[in-house]
Amino acid sequence: MLPDYIIYDELKKRREKQKSERPRVHIEQPVPYWPEPEFEGPDQDEEQESDRGVEIIRI
């Protein structure tokens, strides 16, 4: 009977050999398009700033 490590090594070699023999297909994935946000002026920007914020409460 063979020791376990020899069996595991042989199995590992077979897996690596099978992996290298497989043909590989490269599929190109398109880059997503992210449009630039449109700037509509300082009025809209000021409103957004006033809606967001952090309040610090001293205890």
Side-chain angles (χ1 to χ4, degrees):
M1 178 147 176
L2 292 172
D4 289 343
Y5 67 90
I6 293 177
I7 295 171
Y8 290 129
D9 286 344
E10 187 64 32
L11 289 172
K12 185 178 178 182
K13 286 178 188 177
R14 287 183 187 177
R15 277 191 224 116
E16 288 174 357
K17 184 179 177 185
Q18 287 176 351
K19 263 188 182 177
S20 65
E21 290 176 352
R22 289 186 193 166
R24 296 183 181 246
V25 176
H26 177 71
I27 301 174
E28 250 182 73
Q29 296 181 346
V31 179
Y33 172 71
W34 297 98
E36 294 291 323
E38 294 182 15
F39 182 71
E40 296 187 14
D43 296 337
Q44 182 186 16
D45 196 30
E46 290 175 7
E47 289 176 11
Q48 286 180 354
E49 287 180 16
S50 64
D51 291 341
R52 302 178 193 166
V54 176
E55 268 189 55
I56 300 174
I57 302 172
R58 291 188 165 198
I59 300 176

